[in-house]
Amino acid sequence: MNDTFLKACRGERTDYTPVWMMRQAGRYMPEYQQIRGQIGFLELCKNPGLCVEVTMQPIELLGMDAAILFSDILILMEAMGMPLEFHEGRGPIFHRTVRDQAAVESLRQPQAREDLGFVMETIALLRRRLEVPLIGFAGAPFTCATYLIEGGSSKVFWETKKLMYRHPEVFHGLMEKLTTATIDYLQAQAEAGAQALQLFDSWVGILAPDDFTEFALPYVQRIVAALKPHGLPFIYFANNGATLIELSVATGADVIGLDWRLPIGDAIKRVGPRAVQGNLDPFALLLPEERLRQRIARLLEEARPAHGHIFNLGHGIHQHTPPEQVRLAVRLVHELSRR
Ligand code: CP3
């Protein structure tokens, strides 16, 4: 069992810097495309046997030090009674939106162990096969709320901010329900065998720090606190969160995920004595080998003062990234960080 990733999460000494990448299982891999050619994305997420295959691909073929459960953050909301569709090229679409009190009340509180049993089954199957730790995950309540309020992806988040500012009680009601569902979901994942947990806050970077404190932070704090007794490292990733580092620390998470928009050395000073995860620009994987080597060497050097560093990208791998460049990056991290 390669437990380098778990040691780094706990701030313990490791022989080298462990690496995994957000969205490491996905369309950039021909082996994933081969499976997706036979089955739709949502059906794939509900097929434990195939989810295991897809989760294993970047471990076996690219050498990652941790696996992330193959699923999607929106699966939980589908189980809350929000029918969901993925359109090629258009991303996720919810058939309804949640923009008023009645819509919030109509959301069901799912029972993760039953309603999302396929996820727990995937986790149990993976634990029998994996020789690296398995990361479970969920979307953070704010990010999930944006999808429900907008009805899908957004660039300006007009409806989200309108609801937040004009009907804060409705917004908070939605956040309450998402928080309760997320706690149950992550506890079920921990019981099923997940060895670390990550909360993805992909869109929270649109908030001013004061609004983060009022509308997002208390809910993340509750989730982190509820999972503490399970004893798993908890990673909080706020995308576009350079102005939210201290507040990310205030969530109580053990590991602070960093996007690429700030130098990792600066972030580490602000994070203080806990582990960090990040933060190579996903597009830097397009650099020629020598430039990539310099870039990774510099990042590793800057991250030396961290109380634990897990190498990752600053956000998910882009779908057109050449897989051989990903393999090269993994090799370079291992080689350049060996102590
Ligand atoms: O390897 C892994 O990281 C595990 C699997 C995983 C997926 N989605 C698979 C996926 C994880 C952890 C996610 C999280 C997720 N899903 C987030 C948070 C991370 C982030 O990227 O910010 C978000 C915002 C979503 C919602 C989502 N899912 C969107 C907006 C889209 C469409 C856009 C896109 O990239 O296509 C998805 C689809 C999705 N989720 C795919 C995969 C592999 C592509 C589906 C396909 O095969 O066509």
Side-chain angles (χ1 to χ4, degrees):
M1 172 73 183
N2 167 1
D3 64 349
T4 314
F5 162 79
L6 292 175
K7 281 188 174 147
C9 288
R10 295 191 294 253
E12 293 166 17
R13 237 195 78 86
T14 57
D15 298 334
Y16 61 90
T17 302
V19 51
W20 73 276
M21 296 185 190
M22 291 186 274
R23 296 291 194 99
Q24 67 187 16
R27 285 169 301 197
Y28 74 100
M29 290 187 81
E31 296 80 5
Y32 172 83
Q33 295 283 14
Q34 214 256 319
I35 290 181
R36 265 286 273 117
Q38 335 272 317
I39 188 168
F41 175 64
L42 273 179
E43 295 160 73
L44 171 56
C45 288
K46 292 169 191 172
N47 183 317
L50 290 179
C51 283
V52 168
E53 293 312 311
V54 168
T55 305
M56 303 284 299
Q57 286 172 350
I59 316 304
E60 288 168 344
L61 299 166
L62 305 171
M64 303 290 177
D65 295 296
I68 181 156
L69 165 72
F70 189 84
S71 185
D72 197 89
I73 62 168
L74 304 177
I75 292 283
L76 177 64
M77 282 152 273
E78 196 191 39
M80 294 175 83
M82 294 290 291
L84 171 66
E85 241 178 274
F86 279 86
H87 287 281
E88 220 54 65
R90 267 172 66 210
I93 296 187
F94 282 107
H95 295 182
R96 291 195 302 277
T97 56
V98 178
R99 295 180 185 170
D100 55 32
Q101 189 57 34
V104 172
E105 276 162 21
S106 74
L107 290 172
R108 49 185 298 272
Q109 270 320 334
Q111 304 296 314
R113 290 154 194 83
E114 288 121 56
D115 298 325
L116 298 161
F118 51 88
V119 172
M120 310 315 147
E121 193 184 331
T122 304
I123 293 173
L125 289 170
L126 276 167
R127 282 302 305 280
R128 279 187 237 147
R129 287 213 15 214
L130 281 170
E131 280 166 27
V132 297
L134 176 63
I135 306 167
F137 72 90
F142 182 83
T143 290
C144 293
T146 67
Y147 281 100
L148 295 181
I149 298 166
E150 305 289 337
S153 301
S154 175
K155 285 207 170 75
V156 288
F157 300 95
W158 167 259
E159 297 294 341
T160 302
K161 289 206 170 171
K162 194 162 90 181
L163 190 68
M164 228 176 80
Y165 290 135
R166 288 203 177 159
H167 302 284
E169 68 298 340
V170 175
F171 186 87
H172 282 295
L174 173 57
M175 293 292 282
E176 287 285 341
K177 276 201 148 168
L178 285 167
T179 300
T180 305
T182 304
I183 289 172
D184 174 60
Y185 186 37
L186 289 177
Q187 286 178 336
Q189 291 186 34
E191 284 161 24
Q195 291 158 289
L197 297 170
Q198 173 156 326
L199 209 54
F200 285 90
D201 225 340
S202 306
W203 308 124
V204 81
I206 64 164
L207 294 181
D210 282 352
D211 284 333
F212 181 90
T213 303
E214 181 177 346
F215 292 102
L217 179 61
Y219 302 100
V220 178
Q221 283 173 330
R222 253 162 61 192
I223 294 168
V224 174
L227 271 301
K228 271 272 136 83
H230 291 269
L232 311 184
F234 198 106
I235 309 164
Y236 176 65
F237 171 64
N239 182 37
N240 225 327
T243 56
L244 305 172
I245 301 281
E246 289 77 6
L247 292 170
S248 293
V249 172
T251 62
D254 306 292
V255 183
I256 305 303
L258 303 166
D259 73 43
W260 72 92
R261 297 169 185 87
L262 79 170
I264 196 162
D266 294 357
I268 288 164
K269 286 188 202 126
R270 289 164 62 192
V271 164
R274 59 183 90 194
V276 294
Q277 175 175 280
N279 75 341
L280 186 73
D281 181 342
F283 289 84
L285 292 173
L286 299 176
L287 287 168
E289 176 161 353
E290 253 334 282
R291 298 268 333 266
L292 182 60
R293 173 188 292 273
Q294 289 163 10
R295 192 75 185 252
I296 290 175
R298 168 126 192 245
L299 203 164
L300 290 168
E301 186 55 38
E302 268 191 60
R304 269 155 66 117
H307 294 243
H309 174 217
I310 299 117
F311 192 98
N312 205 314
L313 302 178
H315 201 181
I317 301 182
H318 189 270
Q319 63 166 311
H320 299 304
T321 309
E324 59 279 10
Q325 286 291 105
V326 178
R327 192 179 305 113
L328 170 64
V330 172
R331 177 163 68 69
L332 288 171
V333 173
H334 286 161
E335 188 183 307
L336 295 166
S337 66
R338 194 155 286 280
R339 291 177 260 275

